[in-house]
Amino acid sequence: LLIFINMSLQAIVYTRGSLSLLDQRLLPFESKYIPILTPEDAWNAIKDMVVRGAPAIGVTGALALAVNLVTEKKGGEEFSSIDEAKQHIRQTMDYLVTSRPTAVNLKEACDRIKHLAKVSTSSSASELTATIVSACEAFLQEDIDANKALSAFGADALFAAADERASGAVSTSGESRRRRRVSGAPLRVLTHCNTGSLATAGWGTALGCIRELHRRGLLEHAYCTETRPYNQGARLTAFELVYDNLRPHTLICDSAASALMSKGLVDAVVVGADRVVANGDTANKIGTYSLAIAAKRHGIPFFVAAPTTTLDENLKDGEEIEIEQRPSEEITHFRNSIRVAAEGIEIWNPCFDVTPADLIEGIITEKGMVPVVVDTPQQTKVFEVKKFLDSVGMSHDAAQEKGKDEKEVKVAEAASPTEVVVSA
């Protein structure tokens, strides 16, 4: 089987039995691919941010299992029984999920694969292994298709929201200090962290929306933040903007975002997400919450772009999201080598923050916009994530999904045993 991604930047390179990841820690100065031979290799690559971005992490976890089953387990021949194969699949996926707990996509992939193994009616360990491998490989194309559909919805949503403000249909605070955009004009869009081809199987989520605006001739200017302390914006998003010629483009310091907005140079903000919970509260790269507050102050629509695999209806609100803490060296040292902070200073380095739903204009998915209501007693905005997932047949609770068992088996069996071409 061959899976080929026809795109400018390839974060994940996969053929059946072989997986390599672009080491994003070295970008933009060096392009080096690291072979992933075992689940342990994948766990370390995810934990150490060789690969990052919630969608890419989910795809990596699935493909790492596929490689393990094809190579180490010899297509299932090493298992003495179907039960042993199922136990191995379950334990491997549970292990991979521990690499980075905040991003929900990896757990969603884990749950789907384990469920498929559990309900499989395969007559042998080899047959079960073939089914699981095909299902794991399907995650690549699925993510690219989702990103392209999401980007189309996102471009529409950003343009419509900016036009509402330009026409005066929506009142905006701080408007007197902003340069008014003419209705129908191209947009000036700000994004945070990296949500493009490097963070997904291809195309991107929030950056995918910007790509789509550019494709339509509706992008006046793309701004990206440096995204301290790991500098995913400076190292990766800026690299993608230049590499793919999404001009004009400008990199700014995180602390300059409010000033940029106050000058009237931003019409919309769009970011990705690592987890969106039942009420719409969103965990994303640290600094996202600050951008949302600044956007609210300046009357700028703030959007979250995330595939349905990032929506988690099982957590009630943002207080229930586990926030990963990163090593102190990411703050105290430049590129983990040159110390720039005083010895003895205490460090607090959360990788993510949580943006309350009330600050979010809209949540964009490949299935459309998540519906929103106003909580009457609290007078706060609430997104109906569970209702939305149920309506599009994408609830993460497999036990409550009508026909999910049959759907997943069909998806796995539909994958070609010889060749799959993934085109972005």
Side-chain angles (χ1 to χ4, degrees):
L1 176 143
L2 169 67
I3 290 183
F4 172 72
I5 303 177
N6 180 24
M7 55 183 291
S8 300
L9 294 171
Q10 244 178 297
I12 301 170
V13 176
Y14 176 83
T15 57
R16 181 161 289 180
S18 175
L19 172 64
S20 295
L21 301 175
L22 179 62
D23 190 344
Q24 298 187 34
R25 300 169 302 180
L26 304 178
L27 292 175
F29 307 108
E30 181 180 355
S31 294
K32 177 183 178 182
Y33 285 87
I34 296 178
I36 304 299
L37 306 177
T38 66
E40 291 74 21
D41 289 344
W43 191 96
N44 288 321
I46 294 170
K47 183 67 175 178
D48 296 340
M49 296 179 73
V50 170
V51 62
R52 23 72 49 210
I57 290 171
V59 172
T60 296
L63 294 179
L65 174 63
V67 169
N68 171 255
L69 293 174
V70 170
T71 57
E72 184 178 347
K73 300 304 178 182
K74 302 188 186 309
E77 294 179 4
E78 293 295 308
F79 296 120
S80 61
S81 67
I82 292 181
D83 286 342
E84 183 185 350
K86 290 183 178 182
Q87 181 182 18
H88 175 78
I89 291 165
R90 182 177 65 253
Q91 291 177 343
T92 299
M93 294 311 297
D94 285 344
Y95 163 70
L96 287 169
V97 166
T98 65
S99 58
R100 294 196 72 188
T102 303
V104 73
N105 300 62
L106 181 55
K107 186 178 187 306
E108 193 272 344
C110 166
D111 290 345
R112 284 174 57 185
I113 291 167
K114 290 194 302 180
H115 182 70
L116 179 56
K118 180 180 179 180
V119 304
S120 174
T121 58
S122 299
S123 59
S124 68
S126 294
E127 183 181 344
L128 172 64
T129 297
T131 297
I132 295 299
V133 168
S134 293
C136 290
E137 291 168 344
F139 276 81
L140 261 173
Q141 182 66 61
E142 181 182 298
D143 187 56
I144 292 173
D145 291 345
N147 290 340
K148 291 225 171 175
L150 178 156
S151 297
F153 284 119
D156 290 342
L158 265 68
F159 195 77
D163 262 11
E164 282 185 340
R165 283 157 174 77
S167 65
V170 175
S171 62
T172 58
S173 60
E175 187 65 47
S176 62
R177 293 196 299 276
R178 297 179 57 223
R179 177 165 66 86
R180 288 293 295 254
R181 169 181 168 273
V182 177
S183 181
L187 302 183
R188 299 156 298 177
V189 184
L190 172 66
T191 192
H192 187 57
C193 197
N194 175 255
T195 57
S197 298
L198 295 172
T200 63
W203 189 258
T205 54
L207 191 55
C209 296
I210 293 174
R211 290 184 197 279
E212 180 63 16
L213 287 169
H214 182 268
R215 189 190 69 80
R216 297 181 186 184
L218 295 176
L219 181 68
E220 179 179 327
H221 205 116
Y223 293 97
C224 64
T225 60
E226 59 178 347
T227 320
R228 285 280 297 151
Y230 213 68
N231 290 317
Q232 292 96 324
R235 294 187 300 105
L236 306 178
T237 300
F239 181 51
E240 290 201 49
L241 290 173
V242 172
Y243 195 96
D244 292 333
N245 200 32
L246 301 178
R247 297 179 180 275
H249 41 59
T250 300
L251 171 68
I252 66 171
C253 294
D254 292 353
S255 52
S258 295
L260 185 73
M261 295 178 190
S262 73
K263 297 294 184 182
L265 297 176
V266 179
D267 299 310
V269 180
V270 61
V271 301
D274 286 80
R275 189 180 296 254
V276 179
V277 297
N279 70 339
D281 289 354
T282 297
N284 192 48
K285 188 57 55 191
I286 193 73
T288 302
Y289 185 20
S290 299
L291 286 180
I293 293 171
K296 183 75 170 180
R297 172 67 182 87
H298 294 94
I300 299 169
F302 178 94
F303 285 91
V304 170
T308 51
T309 52
T310 305
L311 307 185
D312 183 0
E313 80 274 27
N314 295 314
L315 297 185
K316 182 180 67 174
D317 56 38
E319 292 293 329
E320 298 185 2
I321 301 175
E322 179 181 357
I323 299 298
E324 175 189 359
Q325 293 288 327
R326 297 292 300 173
S328 61
E329 289 77 14
E330 291 181 357
I331 294 179
T332 59
H333 291 67
F334 175 71
R335 294 184 66 86
N336 291 330
S337 58
I338 302 173
R339 189 173 186 95
V340 295
E343 292 278 2
I345 188 70
E346 296 294 325
I347 300 299
W348 184 60
N349 187 22
C351 193
F352 306 96
D353 56 28
V354 176
T355 299
D358 202 45
L359 296 177
I360 299 171
E361 176 86 9
I363 298 174
I364 308 158
T365 79
E366 77 278 15
K367 300 293 184 180
M369 306 297 294
V370 178
V372 61
V373 297
V374 176
D375 185 324
T376 304
Q378 302 294 329
Q379 287 299 303
T380 56
K381 183 185 295 184
V382 176
F383 289 88
E384 299 182 306
V385 171
K386 179 170 177 49
K387 182 178 179 181
F388 174 72
L389 288 173
D390 286 342
S391 72
V392 298
M394 296 292 291
S395 173
H396 295 168
D397 187 351
Q400 296 180 8
E401 288 188 52
K402 182 179 178 181
K404 177 167 181 164
D405 298 354
E406 294 80 9
K407 178 183 176 183
E408 289 192 319
V409 170
K410 287 178 182 178
V411 167
E413 292 176 346
S416 167
T418 55
E419 182 175 4
V420 174
V421 177
V422 177
S423 176

